Amino acid sequence: MPSTLLAKPNINNLLSSTAMALCSAFCPRISTNFRPKPFSSFPSKPLLSLSFKVFSSQATDASSQDKFSGRVGFLGLGIMGSPMAQNLIKAGCDVIVWNRTKSKCDPLISLGAKYSSSPEEVAANCDVTFAMLADPESAIDVACGKNGAVSGIGPGKGYVDVSTVDVATSKLINEHIKARGALFLEAPVSGSKKPAEDGQLIFLTAGDRSLYELVSPLLDILGKSRFYLGEVGNGAAMKLVVNMIMGSMMASFSEGILLSKKVGLDPSVLVKVVSQGAISAPMYSLKGPSMVKSQYPTAFPLKHQQKDLRLALGLAESVSQSTPIAAAANELYKVAKSYGLSDEDFSAVIEALKAKSQDTA
């Protein structure tokens, strides 16, 4: 990816604004009740009820030992949904798939999946339906829109939303599913394309405990660990906090790579040093070598990282929590998007820093 790009915007102007548009604006039906009062000291009671228990995919609890025998629906076959659905099919599950672009269903159909023409049909014909959508708008539309899953779901069925959305969106979908007499579990995942392919995702679940127990065998096919966090909203909040940290880490890592090169050090050696020290993280050793070469093979699209930062900042605003580092990182990802890097891996945020450095040289 060349560092010099055409039609560059004014970077300093773009970076100077930190005003955030809250995610609740996209859909007037979304409840704004998730707004605890500001606090001046640590509250005696947590703002989010986060009693949780962690299970590994080798857990010995009864639910993980029982094979799921029902029919599974899967809505959304993008960079994450497709490998997840493939793993269910390869494990012998009876799977029905749907995607807006039908051609994305074809590889799964060739593996043995069935196809339905709408989320409504999938939910009507499946015991449990998973959804992996790109953003809150898509999650709401697929669940609650015309021919959405809500129209086909009913008592005795379950809906598991593994998308990364804000708390309000998750609660809204939960309300619609519950109104139909069905069960709801939010289960956003920590992990990108490769963990999805390898069945090594981490599930951050909340909602109906009985549905969590029922689908635990499926979660164990798809992931290496799973957390049950209590009431709906806690899973979404945990995922946004995790991705807020990740986005900030990548922005700082990018600064380090560029600074090391600017002072005459070998950035490849920096990557090795960081990967062996106390601040080591798999992300650095995985992404660093490609970043040094200005290559950004997409595992987690930059546009999704910026979306998650935006939602995380909205969450922080709702509880009056200051997040200046995340806010600065968010502005940097917005600049990267303005360079046409939305579909590149989120590590391409380094290109925004390269451009800013050139502008100030």
Side-chain angles (χ1 to χ4, degrees):
M1 175 66 60
S3 59
T4 303
L5 302 171
L6 297 177
K8 295 192 295 184
N10 189 312
I11 301 301
N12 293 321
N13 289 342
L14 284 169
L15 287 173
S16 65
S17 172
T18 57
M20 303 302 303
L22 296 181
C23 59
S24 58
F26 70 81
C27 180
R29 295 184 297 166
I30 292 182
S31 170
T32 56
N33 291 334
F34 183 71
R35 292 187 179 276
K37 295 180 180 179
F39 53 93
S40 57
S41 61
F42 289 106
S44 58
K45 183 178 181 181
L47 296 173
L48 290 169
S49 176
L50 287 176
S51 58
F52 65 86
K53 185 176 182 181
V54 59
F55 299 90
S56 73
S57 57
Q58 288 78 37
T60 57
D61 62 304
S63 64
S64 68
Q65 299 299 312
D66 297 332
K67 183 177 179 180
F68 184 85
S69 58
R71 180 174 286 173
V72 183
F74 211 103
L75 310 174
L77 301 174
I79 195 169
M80 295 292 289
S82 182
M84 291 172 71
Q86 284 187 42
N87 284 337
L88 291 175
I89 296 167
K90 291 176 181 177
C93 297
D94 184 6
V95 179
I96 299 180
V97 297
W98 172 87
N99 192 75
R100 283 194 176 96
T101 305
K102 184 181 181 298
S103 60
K104 290 188 176 182
C105 298
D106 293 340
L108 299 169
I109 294 172
S110 67
L111 292 175
K114 301 177 182 66
Y115 169 78
S116 283
S117 61
S118 71
E120 178 181 4
E121 287 187 12
V122 173
N125 290 300
C126 293
D127 299 284
V128 172
T129 300
F130 283 76
M132 173 57 94
L133 289 314
D135 49 44
E137 296 91 337
S138 298
I140 290 175
D141 184 54
V142 169
C144 310
K146 183 179 180 181
N147 300 318
V150 167
S151 300
I153 209 162
K157 296 179 181 293
Y159 192 80
V160 183
D161 196 342
V162 295
S163 315
T164 298
V165 299
D166 57 297
V167 173
T169 294
S170 195
K171 288 187 173 183
L172 175 67
I173 295 173
N174 173 60
E175 291 172 3
H176 282 270
I177 296 294
K178 288 295 189 64
R180 300 285 294 185
L183 301 178
F184 177 79
L185 188 74
E186 61 174 357
V189 300
S190 181
S192 56
K193 181 181 178 181
K194 189 64 163 59
E197 292 172 344
D198 296 342
Q200 293 293 298
L201 296 169
I202 301 169
F203 287 91
L204 308 173
T205 74
D208 285 305
R209 183 61 186 254
S210 59
L211 180 56
Y212 169 75
E213 299 291 354
L214 178 67
V215 301
S216 288
L218 300 177
L219 301 183
D220 291 344
I221 292 170
L222 301 171
K224 63 180 180 180
S225 61
R226 45 188 166 87
F227 293 78
Y228 181 77
L229 304 171
E231 64 185 35
V232 172
N234 289 346
M238 182 68 83
K239 177 58 189 299
L240 292 179
V241 171
V242 168
N243 277 20
M244 180 189 77
I245 295 170
M246 181 174 72
S248 300
M249 286 172 62
M250 179 56 75
S252 181
F253 186 49
S254 297
E255 289 181 332
I257 289 175
L258 294 181
L259 178 59
S260 69
K261 185 175 182 179
K262 200 74 174 282
V263 299
L265 299 173
D266 184 345
S268 297
V269 175
L270 171 70
V271 173
K272 294 178 182 178
V273 171
V274 168
S275 299
Q276 295 181 32
I279 62 171
S280 174
M283 179 176 75
Y284 296 149
S285 57
L286 288 171
K287 305 287 186 182
S290 295
M291 293 172 68
V292 170
K293 299 175 183 178
S294 299
Q295 297 173 355
Y296 316 106
T298 305
F300 180 48
L302 186 143
K303 62 184 177 185
H304 293 338
Q305 175 62 79
Q306 192 277 318
K307 177 262 296 183
D308 292 348
L309 278 167
R310 172 175 62 85
L311 297 180
L313 290 170
L315 176 64
E317 175 71 16
S318 74
V319 293
S320 300
Q321 173 61 50
S322 176
T323 51
I325 295 173
N330 181 57
E331 294 302 313
L332 194 61
Y333 284 95
K334 287 163 63 177
V335 170
K337 284 177 61 179
S338 75
Y339 275 89
L341 299 170
S342 291
D343 294 321
E344 299 289 335
D345 189 75
F346 78 114
S347 56
V349 69
I350 193 173
E351 292 293 331
L353 286 168
K354 290 179 182 179
K356 180 172 171 58
S357 179
Q358 290 175 356
D359 285 351
T360 57

